Structures are given as structure tokens and as C-alpha cells.
Amino acid sequence: MKFKGLVCLLMCASCLTGCNNSSEKVSLSYGSEIDTEATLIVESQLETMINNKESFVVCIYPSETCGCWTSLSRFINDYVNDDTRIIYKISGIAVGEKNDYGLPVYSGESSIAIYKDGKCKYSWHYTNEKDKSIFTTRGEFAKIMEEYTIPPKMIYTDRELLEEHIQESSFNVVHMWSTCSDCKYCFPHVLVPYFKNDVKNTLYVIDLAVEGILLVDGDEDKTNENYVGYMKEFHLSEDGDSTFGYGSGFVPTFQHWESGILKDAALYFNDTIEKIEDQYVITTSFYSEDRLSSLSYLTDDLGALEGTIIDPSYLFIDGEDFSKNPEKYSTIHDPYLIAFLDYYFN
């Protein structure tokens, strides 16, 4: 568990170099209260973050043993232990100086970049004399983080901390899998854009695709007792909550807790669609007529989805097989999730 309380440090504008001369702060997309060191990413992950138009901090290192990196890595680890900002790291050798991501890679040297909406906005590098203290002096890295970034409002947590958080007077969480296709669509297309705004509350994020919950020896198993137990304990399944639980429990599920009591919930996608004669119909949905009165955030124009006839263009159809087209189908579910977010975050 992290201990918060990092003193806000400021850095003079003369220390800035790189992608942009503006001193505008960047609101970071994701944070963590469980990280204890920089998060290693590879090129494919960097590409996804850029394509998703995320805002983030990434440090580029030439090798783990390079002197310009070993000092900086210690400073970063100290920082992430005291703060919720995620600091990513990536090998400059793996990416290369000539890359398609705007990543400032300098041969044999470390550098730091802050990306806003998928584009490099600020950068610093070891070979620049006025930047060198960031890489060699304790506390200088923290200064640029405080000067040029805004702490994120989406924070990764874990089960142990979740059990503590739900006892708070007001707490919001989304349960997800990092491997879930619905989650992979929801986060970049709804959550990342939404949390670029000046929201008043934090959304905690818990990834269930870990050993001890969804994974058993590296394989996903929704029937294992740990996962079934989690769905019941945290009220995602009908067995755990007859009002807000849905089936055996689905993700992404959004919840609002108050002093240990689940007060409200939202679910993205996860409808059952059936072909009845020549029409495609939602036959089962979290947004059922029976549940509507329990969902505080719904506006008058948001009714039950069960019984809704789906335009075939909202689906991928191959003979008798079909699945939802997330880009089109999201127009059905986005208003429900946005209503939840507006109600609890604005």
C-alpha cells in the first residue's frame, strides 16, 4: 500500500525542452495506488496507448545498467511509491531513434517524455545540460511531474485496498478484465475521453484478470471458486445481490458504494441478443424494466433495453452467426454509462 503525502515541488520554466514550449499541465489518463516501481512496456503497448489517445509519462532507457538510468530509476521508484501517477519505461534500443511514435530516443542516453492525447508534448534528455539535474539529483524528477502533469482520476487498485475503499462514505469503482473485448472498447472510447474533463471524483479500476481471481495457472477460468466468490462478495452476480447483480457477473461493471453498502451500478454492453424470426432483439439486459427504478442516475429518456429491436447494421452478421459491432452498438449503451458518470463525477 502506498503512503501519500508527496510535497508539491515546482520547477522553473527554463528546465523545459523538447516537444512544446507551452507550460500547460497534462492530465494523465491512468494512475495506480499499487505500483512500487516504473511500469515496463514494449513497443506494441506504446502503440496502443498512442492510438487510444492516452496521456502518460514514459522514460526511455538505453540499458538497465547505464549510469544515466540507474540514478533516475531509483528516483522514479521513490516517486511512484508516494504518488498515484504511473510512470512507464521502455527500452530505447527496442524502439529505435527513428520511430513512428514521436518518442525522443537518443543513442546511449536516457530521456523522459510526457504525452498528451497520444502526442509528445514535453521531453527532457540526459545529454541536454540544463536537463541533466533531472537525471542526477533526487527530487528533480518529482519537480517536473508536479509542474507539468495533473494527477489522474482513474486509479488502479487491488482487492485488498478495494475491501477498505468500499467502507468509505463515497466510493466509485469499475471491475474489469484487461483481456475483455468490451473493456478494451469502453476504456479508450468512453472513459479516457470523459476523464479528460475536470471531474470531481476518482474512479478506481480493478483488473480481475490476475492470479487468485480470474486466472488459474495463467488461464482464464470463470468457474473457479475464487472468481465466483469475488462476483458474489462484491455484488456483481445475482447470487451476491438480487438488485444490482446481473447473471453470474459481467465486466465492465461500474459501482457506487457508500459506507460498505452498494447503492448503484451500471453495466456496459453484455446484453443477450436473439434472432426472432427476421429481427434481432435484446432479450436480456442489465437495463431491465424491473431494475430501472433502482438506478438513481437514469434520466427520463433512458428506459429498459430488454425488448429493443436492433438494427442489423449494429451487428456483424455471418449467416446465422452474429455479434455486436462495438462502434455502432456503443450508441445504445453510451448514454447509460455517461448518465452514471455524470451523476457521480460531476
Side-chain angles (χ1 to χ4, degrees):
M1 178 175 180
K2 293 186 177 181
F3 297 92
K4 305 300 185 291
L6 188 71
V7 177
C8 179
L9 300 171
L10 298 178
M11 171 185 171
C12 65
S14 63
C15 292
L16 173 67
T17 69
C19 312
N20 195 299
N21 291 323
S22 168
S23 59
E24 174 192 2
K25 286 191 174 186
V26 175
S27 181
L28 301 179
S29 297
Y30 296 107
S32 170
E33 62 176 353
I34 53 178
D35 284 356
T36 58
E37 59 184 18
T39 300
L40 177 65
I41 58 173
V42 296
E43 186 174 355
S44 60
Q45 292 170 300
L46 174 66
E47 183 175 12
T48 296
M49 293 161 65
I50 289 172
N51 290 340
N52 288 347
K53 295 182 171 56
E54 295 177 20
S55 299
F56 56 91
V57 180
V58 59
C59 299
I60 303 94
Y61 63 92
S63 75
E64 292 283 4
T65 57
C66 174
C68 63
W69 171 249
T70 53
S71 294
L72 179 62
S73 64
R74 289 196 298 271
F75 304 155
I76 293 171
N77 293 346
D78 289 344
Y79 185 77
V80 298
N81 269 288
D82 287 328
D83 197 87
T84 58
R85 293 168 177 85
I86 295 176
I87 309 299
Y88 299 98
K89 67 178 182 179
I90 191 168
S91 166
I93 296 174
V95 177
E97 292 184 51
K98 295 181 179 180
N99 60 79
D100 298 325
Y101 316 112
L103 196 69
V105 178
Y106 300 90
S107 179
E109 305 292 349
S110 295
S111 56
I112 303 165
I114 298 175
Y115 277 67
K116 179 183 179 182
D117 300 341
K119 295 182 180 179
C120 181
K121 186 167 182 66
Y122 304 116
S123 68
W124 299 262
H125 59 96
Y126 182 80
T127 53
N128 191 319
E129 193 60 36
K130 64 181 179 179
D131 294 344
K132 189 163 291 188
S133 64
I134 300 169
F135 300 84
T136 60
T137 305
R138 186 174 299 276
E140 292 301 304
F141 178 82
K143 288 182 181 180
I144 63 170
M145 292 300 100
E146 300 299 327
E147 177 72 9
Y148 295 105
T149 68
I150 298 172
K153 287 290 190 176
M154 286 193 287
I155 307 293
Y156 279 92
T157 189
D158 61 16
R159 182 171 185 163
E160 180 181 355
L161 292 173
L162 177 62
E163 291 173 349
E164 298 177 13
H165 282 312
I166 63 175
Q167 301 301 323
E168 296 170 3
S169 59
S170 180
F171 172 70
N172 300 294
V173 63
V174 54
H175 308 261
M176 54 83 77
W177 302 355
S178 52
T179 55
C180 157
S181 59
D182 293 342
C183 302
K184 288 180 179 180
Y185 186 87
C186 179
F187 275 69
H189 291 93
V190 182
L191 297 182
V192 168
Y194 190 90
F195 282 90
K196 289 176 184 177
N197 302 312
D198 186 20
V199 298
K200 66 180 181 180
N201 292 320
T202 297
L203 176 65
Y204 286 83
V205 181
I206 182 162
D207 184 2
L208 309 185
V210 296
E211 291 290 337
I213 304 181
L214 176 65
L215 302 185
V216 179
D217 296 330
D219 295 324
E220 295 179 2
D221 182 0
K222 293 188 291 184
T223 65
N224 88 78
E225 61 181 13
N226 290 331
Y227 186 77
V228 173
Y230 181 98
M231 291 289 161
K232 184 175 181 178
E233 178 182 352
F234 293 103
H235 298 233
L236 281 79
S237 67
E238 290 178 1
D239 286 345
D241 194 306
S242 59
T243 300
F244 298 114
Y246 180 58
S248 59
F250 293 87
V251 294
T253 288
F254 298 77
Q255 295 178 329
H256 174 73
W257 292 78
E258 295 179 6
S259 303
I261 300 173
L262 179 59
K263 292 290 190 177
D264 218 342
L267 181 65
Y268 195 71
F269 290 0
N270 290 288
D271 302 321
T272 299
I273 303 171
E274 296 182 27
K275 186 176 183 182
I276 301 176
E277 296 181 349
D278 61 345
Q279 294 181 321
Y280 298 91
V281 182
I282 297 177
T283 55
T284 308
S285 175
F286 178 81
Y287 296 100
S288 64
E289 194 68 51
D290 292 341
R291 187 176 284 112
L292 291 188
S293 61
S294 301
L295 306 178
S296 303
Y297 56 92
L298 292 184
T299 53
D300 292 341
D301 57 324
L302 297 176
L305 289 181
E306 288 184 354
T308 301
I309 297 172
I310 304 300
D311 189 306
S313 67
Y314 284 31
L315 306 171
F316 294 124
I317 301 173
D318 183 12
E320 293 300 312
D321 298 325
F322 58 89
S323 60
K324 64 182 177 296
N325 177 340
E327 185 175 354
K328 294 279 189 75
Y329 202 79
S330 64
T331 62
I332 297 174
H333 270 265
D334 283 3
Y336 291 82
L337 179 53
I338 294 297
F340 177 90
L341 297 175
D342 285 346
Y343 195 86
Y344 290 108
F345 293 89
N346 286 316

